Amino acid sequence: MVGKSPELDFMVNYEIRSARRYQRFVSMVIVGKGEEDENFHTLFPDVVRDSDECFCTDQGAFVLMGETDGTGALTAIDRYKDFFEGTADLRFGVASFPFDGNSADELISTAVRRLNQARDGDNGAVVTTG
């Protein structure tokens, strides 16, 4: 998949293994912009909680959230929207373990597919299913 990194794959697989062992959730939010903005990749990691991992690629910013279910991911998205205060055309795809994938490839692919669906929507669109 274009834009993936070995570090992202490693961290997602690690979080999934831990979540499976301890029966916890893992969520991933991929944040994309409607138009290209160089500053987004340098600014967005500052918005993410210290406990989350952020990987900026050409596809968007992947935010990996350990011990976070889909509802927690939506809360994070609200925080991101508040930070940018409508100044950026952001779109969001969300995927959570175990419901949306059991491996890094499945979770990442699901999040990317949902981001692509969100890109067809309005500014701030969030896709969590499909």
Side-chain angles (χ1 to χ4, degrees), residues 23-64:
Q23 298 180 351
R24 296 180 179 157
F25 295 100
V26 173
S27 289
M28 171 175 286
V29 173
I30 179 169
V31 183
K33 291 196 37 77
E35 70 282 344
E36 193 57 37
D37 180 356
E38 292 295 322
N39 293 331
F40 174 75
H41 289 307
T42 59
L43 181 62
F44 190 77
D46 294 336
V47 181
V48 176
R49 297 179 305 187
D50 288 340
S51 59
D52 298 335
E53 294 290 331
C54 183
F55 301 87
C56 289
T57 73
D58 59 345
Q59 290 179 309
F62 290 81
V63 182
L64 181 61

Side-chain angles (χ1 to χ4, degrees), residues 13-28:
N13 276 320
Y14 173 80
E15 286 291 341
I16 288 173
R17 284 192 313 271
S18 295
R20 188 177 290 121
R21 180 176 182 182
Y22 296 108
Q23 298 180 351
R24 296 180 179 157
F25 295 100
V26 173
S27 289
M28 171 175 286

